[in-house]
Amino acid sequence: MPDDQQRPLGRRAFPERRSSTHGAHAAGLRWARRTRMRRRYSTGALALAGALAVVAVTALPAAAGPWVDRTTGSLRGDPVYVDPSAKPTLAPAAAGQVRARIARTGTPVFVAVLPRQALAEAGGSAGRLAALVAGSLGRPGTYLVVAGGKQGAGSDTLGQGEAAGLAGSAFQRHRGDLRGAVLDFVGRVDRAAGVPATTAPAAPAPGQEAAARETGLQLVLVFALLAALAVFASIAAKHLGSRRGVRLGHEVAEVRALVEEDLRALGDDLRDLDVDLRAVEAERPRAVSQYTRAYEQLERASDAFEKATTVEDMAPVSSALESGRFAMDAARTMFEGRDPPRRRPPCFFDTRHGTSVDDVGWEPPTGPPRPVPACSACMQSIASGIQPQARRVRAGGRMMPFYDAPPHFESWFGGYFGGAAADLVAGFPLGKALDDGYVGGLNTFGGGYGHVPVSYADTGILDSGGAMMGEHESEAGTVTIQEDPDVDQSAGER
């Protein structure tokens, strides 16, 4: 007979697919190079942000320390403050004379006598310390601070630098006499304040110009710091996004490798079912119809596989493979002259075993026993006291039983078992992922995407999942039966 007459109707050669090992290795090398570059960029951005943060913090105006705070608190109610630990110091009587002299002036004057330790809050500068006290008190006037024998002065009522000059003259004249120097300074300020403003232009408050410069620098550095942090955040986000993309890519590659095994298995089994369709078409038209449908479902699964970009896209592939394998099993039995099988789920232990023949009690390594659909070979194995070998999948670089697989395998498994998937693997990692349904199926609660869940096993209804077609009573209660819109509901009616 010519070769073209021996070719099965609707038969499509399953294309050979190149192993993904080489591609995965190359992708891993590219990812490693990108990771090293991103680490360098991230490290540089982090160092820049840290440096700017340090500079910004150090450039901020010095915060008021305990000596400045204590002095300011006293000057709010008394223009003269003498710290008990100050040396040299003003005796109470001398401090009273200074207060009396300040009361007779026509301009505000504030005097503080502090210990040498207070200079540490101003970097050792008595003039800077006077500016800090003036800034903290926030009142206009002339300020004199004597700390450890060093004097500093400033004013916003006298000419710029004039207060410091008056203090220098007074303390030079009364060397070693703190009372006389302070009284002389107050008198000089009183006299200087009486000069017309035209000859003595008003000066900014002590430290005002320096504070303005520091404020401007602070703003510039803060904006620079924010910009650096924005750049760093952008790089970090891209880096994290890249790492997530690599992880998702690994997950897709693991599930694709598993689904590709399923595709190859169905294609090989169909090729092994070598039938002269032209010779038997007239005698067994229903068997030919199922045989042709098996190839159509394999082609549908192959097309969906080629288009799949996420793990969720694998559910329709699994569903088409399940439907195609059932059609192949039905065709085989009818070619052999036997009754077609009931529409049941695939074998739980390995979907490549084909359509299950009944439910069997399974005692998993952990968790309670449960009924699962099993093929004839797995049922005989359990009857002999031997647990069937569950299919093993590769995840994270190691092999494991499919029920211990991580969550990204849920759509692959759910595509075969739909709403019953979670109950079949309850208590296992895959079951926890399926507790809330899975992505990729049409109806993941109580009905699948091309199969009948285990709860339908005793109904005897020959359906294949899909659109709603009614309800049926069983020992499990009321279940919803679904139909595939392109398939007749009975394999035996083909």
Side-chain angles (χ1 to χ4, degrees):
M1 179 179 295
D3 293 339
D4 60 341
Q5 294 182 358
Q6 296 180 359
R7 180 180 177 84
L9 294 179
R11 181 167 180 169
R12 299 292 182 95
F14 183 66
E16 293 294 331
R17 290 183 173 82
R18 181 182 179 185
S19 172
S20 61
T21 303
H22 175 74
H25 178 67
L29 292 177
R30 291 193 297 270
W31 171 78
R33 287 194 294 268
R34 289 195 298 268
T35 300
R36 287 194 296 268
M37 292 296 292
R38 290 191 181 95
R39 283 177 179 170
R40 285 196 287 268
Y41 293 151
S42 300
T43 303
L46 182 59
L48 174 61
L52 287 173
V54 171
V55 173
V57 170
T58 56
L60 294 177
W67 290 108
V68 172
D69 289 340
R70 186 182 309 171
T71 302
T72 301
S74 297
L75 292 179
R76 292 189 188 281
D78 186 346
V80 177
Y81 170 66
V82 180
D83 189 270
S85 60
K87 291 182 180 180
T89 186
L90 286 177
Q97 293 176 351
V98 173
R99 290 188 185 91
R101 181 65 183 90
I102 291 175
R104 297 196 302 270
T105 62
T107 183
V109 178
F110 301 92
V111 175
V113 181
L114 307 174
R116 182 178 297 275
Q117 296 91 313
L119 293 173
E121 296 183 9
S125 170
R128 175 65 173 159
L129 185 59
L132 290 175
V133 171
S136 179
L137 185 60
R139 295 181 184 177
T142 301
Y143 291 79
L144 172 66
V145 172
V146 181
K150 297 177 62 176
Q151 82 281 353
S155 175
D156 63 354
T157 58
L158 301 178
Q160 183 175 1
E162 187 175 2
L166 295 177
S169 299
F171 277 77
Q172 180 68 26
R173 182 175 180 180
H174 300 275
R175 189 181 301 274
D177 180 8
L178 180 59
R179 181 190 69 85
V182 173
L183 288 173
D184 188 359
F185 171 77
V186 175
R188 291 171 186 264
V189 170
D190 188 20
R191 292 190 295 272
V195 177
T198 55
T199 60
Q208 183 176 356
E209 291 184 353
R213 288 194 300 269
E214 290 172 352
T215 301
L217 178 60
Q218 175 189 356
L219 292 176
V220 170
L221 291 176
V222 166
F223 283 121
L225 176 60
L226 291 176
L229 291 177
V231 172
F232 173 73
S234 176
I235 294 175
K238 290 180 181 179
H239 178 62
L240 293 177
S242 175
R243 291 184 59 185
R244 182 175 182 273
V246 170
R247 177 178 59 80
L248 293 178
H250 287 323
E251 292 178 355
V252 172
E254 291 175 347
V255 179
R256 284 184 68 89
L258 184 65
V259 174
E260 190 167 6
E261 292 177 4
D262 293 350
L263 285 164
R264 289 184 182 280
L266 180 57
D268 292 343
D269 290 346
L270 279 171
R271 281 190 287 272
D272 291 341
L273 185 60
D274 190 11
V275 178
D276 184 354
L277 296 183
R278 295 186 184 277
V280 300
E281 184 174 7
E283 181 181 355
R284 302 186 187 279
R286 290 179 298 177
V288 172
S289 177
Q290 287 293 331
Y291 187 59
T292 303
R293 171 166 172 75
Y295 270 101
E296 291 172 349
Q297 289 300 310
L298 175 61
E299 183 177 6
R300 175 185 294 183
S302 181
D303 290 342
F305 177 78
E306 295 297 340
K307 296 175 182 177
T309 58
T310 66
V311 294
E312 291 81 8
D313 294 337
M314 299 302 173
V317 182
S318 298
S319 297
L321 287 171
E322 186 275 336
S323 183
R325 188 166 286 280
F326 170 77
M328 182 190 70
D329 292 343
R332 177 185 287 112
T333 59
M334 286 187 283
F335 282 140
E336 296 171 354
R338 296 182 285 120
D339 291 334
R342 288 190 303 163
R343 187 68 174 92
R344 286 185 50 85
C347 178
F348 168 78
F349 299 100
D350 193 332
T351 57
R352 296 172 298 181
H353 291 176
T355 307
S356 63
V357 297
D358 205 345
D359 288 355
V360 66
W362 175 53
E363 296 183 5
T366 58
R370 70 202 68 189
V372 296
C375 64
S376 177
C378 289
M379 290 192 65
Q380 292 177 5
S381 177
I382 292 179
S384 302
I386 302 174
Q387 288 292 329
Q389 177 67 43
R391 184 174 184 181
R392 298 177 69 81
V393 301
R394 180 175 296 278
R398 61 187 183 92
M399 301 297 292
M400 63 186 67
F402 70 88
Y403 45 76
D404 285 331
H408 56 273
F409 285 88
E410 63 175 350
S411 291
W412 161 77
F413 186 74
Y416 280 109
F417 296 96
D423 292 335
L424 289 173
V425 290
F428 294 100
L430 191 60
K432 296 177 182 178
L434 286 162
D435 280 346
D436 56 351
Y438 67 95
V439 179
L442 289 181
N443 180 1
T444 63
F445 297 95
Y449 184 93
H451 70 278
V452 181
V454 178
S455 59
Y456 299 176
D458 297 330
T459 65
I461 303 298
L462 301 178
D463 62 321
S464 59
M468 305 298 293
M469 63 172 286
E471 295 182 342
H472 183 83
E473 296 294 331
S474 73
E475 294 180 359
T478 302
V479 296
T480 301
I481 307 302
Q482 300 182 323
E483 64 175 339
D484 190 331
D486 358 332
V487 185
D488 292 341
Q489 292 309 301
S490 172
E493 293 175 358
R494 291 264 178 154

